[in-house]
Amino acid sequence: MQSLIPLFLIAGAAVGVEIALTRFFAVASWSEYGYWVISIAMTGFAVSGVVMMLGRTAFLRHARWLLPLLPSAMLAAGGLGWIGVTLNGFNPLELQNPATAEPQLVNIALYYAALFPFFFLAGLAVSLNFVVHAGEVGRVYGYDLLGAGTGAVAALGLMFVLHPFWLVPALLPLLAVAAMIAGGVRWRIAALAVLVVTEAAVLALAAPRVNEFKPVYAPLNVPDSRVVAEILSPRGVYLLLDNFTERLDTDVSNNAGVLGTPAPPRTFGLYRDGSRIAALPMEQPVAGHAPAALDGAPYALLEAPRVLALGGAGGFRAAEALALGAAHVTVVEPEPVLRAALAQGLGPSPAPPADPRVTLSAAHPLTAHGRYDLVDIAGDFLGADEQNRTAYTAEALAGFLARLEPGGMVSVPVGIRELPVYAVRVLATAREALRIAGVAEPARHVAVIRSAWNLRVLIAREPFDEARVARLATFADERSFDVSFAPGLAADGREVWNDLPTVSLEATTVEAGGAAQDAVAREAALVLAGTPPEDAFDRSPVTADRPWLSPLVRLGSLGAALERIEILPQQEIGLLVNVAVLAQAVVLALLVSLLPLLARGALRVPLPVLGRALAYFPALGLGFLLIEIAFIEHAALLLGDRTSGFALVLTTMLVFSGIGAMWAGRVVAHGRALRVAVLVALGCAALALAGLRPAVLAALDLPWAVRAGLLMVALAPISLALGFPFPLGLDRFQAEGPALLPWAWALNGAFSVVATPLANLMGHGIGLSWLLAAGMVCYGAAALAWPRERA
């Protein structure tokens, strides 16, 4: 029996490189562009299946030397592709400018040209193994999935010791080992030579760099800038910078001098993957600036509050709260590096001194216990960690309201310097949270105060009375802030200190000139009344099932978004990238699907069988990834990190699906095995729909290792079941025509390309629950498409 270890290594290298490339884009550019990598990878797999179908006989005839050649060719293509990617001058900001977009479209095409050969060869190697071992489909698929899972683990482990710019070169040797095992002595010598030449070329020619428009680029390159601490982990690359530009980034009044408050202190700057996530103190945190800060608004309405602070802001948030009169501050910092900095410091930045009035809680923001007068979300909390967005859902805000003492409130920050409508969506979420809490008139419980750049939504347990509104107005006037909304406060006739024009995709210009405007004030009353304006921007509440504040652009308004792409902030571009990838994926899927109509002579199967195959394998490609992506999002919340959630879900599902595939290769009654596997998968998915969210919330405060173990146990049954349908289908359909096997591989790959951007659009648009439901429908459809057994 021929060894399948080379296939195991090829699959591991392909998935490992795919993950490494997504990390490269996250560090060098923006993570949204990592979708391209997934698209290119699955496109390569799909096209390889088509090529294998058309040339199956020739590939079988030359399989003996192709099996060791393909991993060596992958090795060379991977090195050349990596060099091409790192030398690419892609500039995402120029892509948003119609006048400069054309060269960037060329650069995108060059990314595809650089990476496609590697993944095409990977797919060719896998599909060749299927063809060569056509009688052992379950075993082949099992090795493929187990190798892919191992590659994901390897990539994750390397992230602890290597910068993302070195991950791809570190994974390429797996392919040399695969070639050495697959061939004889000459092939081993050739593989070693290819490895040496490729790695030498990578060292000499590859030039990975951080895009000059990333936030870290300028402070990293000012005179005398120093990196005083660095941490490598799957969560990201953390850099602590010391330079003259770094200060505490808080919104302080222009009247700070009149108020007698000092400027915010100079600090270290902590960056993750090139984005600034916090300021860390150079000495002990000081907060003399706090009385002049926008964040001080709720403290002006409360007497000696007990505060739950979500986000420690490097230690400054507790100091600010105490300076503003807080009696006690409980700090919840879910970002692990920031939490460690609060407990023990980071590099030259000291930990805040022990203070009996400050408690550093180990709880998750969604499960923090106790009673408080103020739940205060730090201004940098949302940007400090992707999973912090879950604190901005209606369910989370309702939970915070339930922890308030009489007279208490929740203070929610949101940036408005790019799109004021983000604040409007937070208002819609606040309204929904109050509705969940049983409040009949939400507008009486909400006030909004802002500067030119940031805004605070104050959500009170009891209605705002005249005295509180007057105190808030006085606080704002003394600091030249604006009260955009408060119960009983007339909008007309009030002076607007900070001009905030409305930004619209329907208008060709931004209103400017004349009297100062307040875009949030225009919409606040309408949104709080439940009648938001209807235009290109989505103002629906952020919910646990749709836990994203952005993107806001509605799918029906993509044309308007493209026409005015230059005004959209970076967080909106991910939607456009998704749509572009989906459009490309649909075209590819149609080509792969329709090809047999042009090449029926190569397939030699009846049309009804083609039709069933055309339903069966696309359904599996879509269904598996829709379910997987839904679980990844829930795992990210459970583990507190998307990278860990992605890697653990991917690995667990691939490994247990691989075991299921090997088991499927031993069953005799294929039709019965398929029905049982689909029923088990549907049952597990139904249980997840009903109880996954409560189960995740119940486990959030458990140790990380326990949460990871529970996740693996929960995923094992459905993953085992999902491993059966594909190899069973390959066995059954190739009985109708051997050439169907590589075409089935192509169909599965092509519709997997469709699944990734489709799942992201569905999750943002209609919710994560619908991903699981859609995945269930796909597997049900696959069961119905199973061909009748031959008599």
Side-chain angles (χ1 to χ4, degrees):
M1 185 179 291
Q2 189 172 351
S3 172
L4 289 176
I5 295 300
L7 171 63
F8 178 93
L9 294 170
I10 288 168
V15 170
V17 168
E18 182 180 348
I19 293 173
L21 287 168
T22 61
R23 286 293 301 130
F24 164 77
F25 276 102
V27 175
S29 183
W30 280 279
S31 59
E32 290 88 349
Y33 299 102
Y35 292 129
W36 289 340
V37 178
I38 300 171
S39 169
I40 297 168
M42 301 313 296
T43 299
F45 293 154
V47 174
S48 71
V50 173
V51 171
M52 183 61 65
M53 181 195 74
L54 295 175
R56 177 177 171 275
T57 303
F59 280 109
L60 267 176
R61 187 166 57 249
H62 300 294
R64 184 174 181 180
W65 59 267
L66 282 173
L67 287 172
L69 173 66
L70 284 172
S72 294
M74 280 181 67
L75 172 57
L80 290 173
W82 173 243
I83 293 169
V85 166
T86 63
L87 296 178
N88 193 308
F90 176 68
N91 184 329
L93 295 186
E94 289 188 6
L95 185 64
Q96 291 181 244
N97 185 341
T100 58
E102 186 174 343
Q104 302 314 316
L105 294 175
V106 173
N107 284 333
I108 292 173
L110 291 174
Y111 277 135
Y112 277 76
L115 296 177
F116 176 82
F118 175 83
F119 291 108
F120 169 76
L121 292 169
L124 206 60
V126 174
S127 57
L128 180 59
N129 273 277
F130 274 117
V131 170
V132 170
H133 304 281
E136 304 175 89
V137 165
R139 180 168 166 259
V140 173
Y141 192 49
Y143 269 83
D144 176 35
L145 294 182
L146 289 171
T150 304
V153 172
L156 188 70
L158 287 172
M159 290 179 200
F160 285 103
V161 294
L162 292 179
H163 191 281
F165 291 173
W166 291 103
L167 290 176
V168 170
L171 289 163
L172 292 178
L174 291 174
L175 296 167
V177 177
M180 291 176 185
I181 296 174
V185 175
R186 292 182 179 179
W187 285 109
R188 292 168 189 165
I189 296 172
L192 184 60
V194 172
L195 176 63
V196 171
V197 172
T198 299
E199 294 288 11
V202 166
L203 289 174
L205 301 175
R209 64 197 183 283
V210 174
N211 188 287
E212 60 265 31
F213 291 101
K214 292 211 78 170
V216 74
Y217 186 86
L220 191 60
N221 289 281
V222 298
D224 301 322
S225 181
R226 296 185 301 139
V227 177
V228 294
E230 181 178 23
I231 297 175
L232 300 176
S233 83
R235 296 183 68 95
V237 176
Y238 294 82
L239 298 178
L240 188 65
L241 300 189
D242 179 14
N243 60 75
F244 70 87
T245 70
E246 303 291 351
R247 289 189 174 274
L248 179 64
D249 186 11
T250 189
D251 209 335
V252 174
S253 166
N254 291 331
N255 302 345
V258 176
L259 295 171
T261 59
R266 188 183 166 197
T267 66
F268 297 111
L270 182 62
Y271 295 78
R272 184 184 60 239
D273 286 350
S275 296
R276 196 174 195 262
I277 64 171
L280 296 187
M282 305 189 95
E283 299 174 344
Q284 297 306 326
V286 293
H289 61 279
L294 179 69
D295 298 347
Y299 295 87
L301 310 181
L302 299 165
E303 298 293 333
R306 294 182 62 83
V307 179
L308 173 63
L310 301 185
F316 287 103
R317 198 68 198 116
E320 291 167 343
L322 294 175
L324 293 168
H328 188 273
V329 183
T330 299
V331 178
V332 173
E333 179 53 80
E335 213 289 333
V337 172
L338 288 176
R339 178 176 168 76
L342 291 176
Q344 59 201 35
L346 176 61
S349 177
D355 189 320
R357 298 171 296 170
V358 178
T359 300
L360 180 58
S361 172
H364 189 277
L366 300 184
T367 60
H369 302 293
R371 306 288 295 180
Y372 304 95
D373 302 299
L374 174 62
V375 177
D376 186 13
I377 302 178
D380 59 4
F381 182 73
L382 187 60
D385 191 273
E386 184 189 16
Q387 291 308 306
N388 288 351
R389 58 184 163 79
T390 59
Y392 276 67
T393 64
E395 294 86 348
L397 295 180
F400 300 151
L401 286 168
R403 298 184 193 128
L404 293 177
E405 296 284 4
M409 66 180 61
V410 180
S411 177
V412 185
V414 59
I416 54 175
R417 67 182 68 194
E418 293 177 308
L419 276 183
V421 74
Y422 287 126
V424 178
R425 194 169 196 186
V426 172
L427 279 175
T429 307
R431 179 184 183 275
E432 180 65 11
L434 288 162
R435 191 195 64 78
I436 293 172
V439 173
E441 298 180 79
R444 298 181 59 200
H445 294 251
V446 176
V448 180
I449 183 171
R450 69 171 184 84
S451 68
W453 309 111
N454 298 288
L455 176 148
R456 285 260 169 187
V457 177
L458 306 181
I459 313 169
R461 176 178 146 159
E462 282 80 31
F464 278 92
D465 56 27
E466 290 185 10
R468 265 193 169 179
V469 172
R471 288 165 67 185
L472 182 64
T474 299
F475 175 89
D477 288 341
E478 290 175 349
R479 293 158 180 80
S480 297
F481 295 142
D482 293 295
V483 178
S484 294
F485 179 86
L489 189 68
D492 297 333
R494 288 185 56 81
E495 183 173 2
V496 176
W497 297 101
N498 305 280
D499 189 25
L500 186 64
T502 299
V503 177
S504 169
L505 294 184
E506 288 79 8
T508 56
T509 59
V510 176
E511 296 180 34
Q517 304 170 59
D518 191 333
V520 175
R522 290 182 180 183
E523 297 189 22
L526 292 172
V527 170
L528 291 171
T531 56
E534 292 289 335
D535 60 17
F537 294 122
D538 181 11
R539 295 169 177 80
S540 61
V542 180
T543 66
D545 203 43
R546 296 173 60 216
W548 295 278
L549 184 60
S550 63
L552 292 172
V553 176
R554 300 180 191 273
L555 287 178
S557 300
L558 284 177
L562 288 171
E563 288 179 5
R564 305 209 64 202
I565 191 172
E566 70 278 1
I567 72 169
L568 293 177
Q570 181 59 40
Q571 53 265 41
E572 297 297 314
I573 301 303
L575 171 73
L576 303 181
V577 173
N578 256 295
V579 172
V581 170
L582 178 60
Q584 167 224 303
V586 169
V587 171
L588 172 69
L590 288 174
L591 289 174
V592 172
S593 301
L594 296 176
L595 185 65
L597 299 179
L598 304 176
R600 281 193 60 206
L603 290 173
R604 296 188 180 90
V605 293
L607 274 176
V609 175
L610 281 180
R612 288 183 178 274
L614 194 53
Y616 187 86
F617 292 104
L620 297 185
L622 287 170
F624 190 94
L625 276 176
L626 290 174
I627 291 172
E628 181 182 63
I629 290 171
F631 282 136
I632 286 171
E633 294 298 338
H634 288 289
L637 172 59
L638 177 66
L639 301 179
D641 169 33
R642 182 175 177 80
T643 302
S644 298
F646 170 80
L648 195 58
V649 169
L650 181 67
T651 301
T652 303
M653 292 191 70
L654 288 176
V655 168
F656 281 95
S657 293
I659 295 171
M662 290 183 171
W663 188 356
R666 298 182 180 184
V667 301
V668 177
H670 288 182
R672 183 173 181 274
L674 175 79
R675 290 190 292 273
V676 172
V678 169
L679 284 175
V680 171
L682 294 181
C684 292
L687 286 175
L689 272 175
L692 186 56
R693 171 78 181 178
V696 168
L697 292 176
L700 283 176
D701 290 332
L702 296 174
W704 191 93
V706 175
R707 283 177 278 148
L710 289 173
L711 177 64
M712 294 174 67
V713 169
L715 289 174
I718 189 171
S719 302
L720 194 70
L722 295 180
F724 276 72
F726 189 69
L728 289 175
L730 291 179
D731 264 339
R732 179 67 187 87
F733 279 95
Q734 76 166 335
E736 303 288 343
L740 277 177
L741 194 153
W743 182 55
W745 171 254
L747 281 175
N748 187 267
F751 281 86
S752 295
V753 182
V754 173
T756 301
L758 179 64
N760 281 295
L761 292 173
M762 287 178 62
H764 284 79
I766 57 178
L768 297 174
S769 297
W770 287 98
L771 294 187
L772 279 173
M776 294 169 68
V777 170
C778 288
Y779 275 92
L784 293 175
W786 182 261
R788 295 176 183 176
E789 301 293 339
R790 291 181 172 182

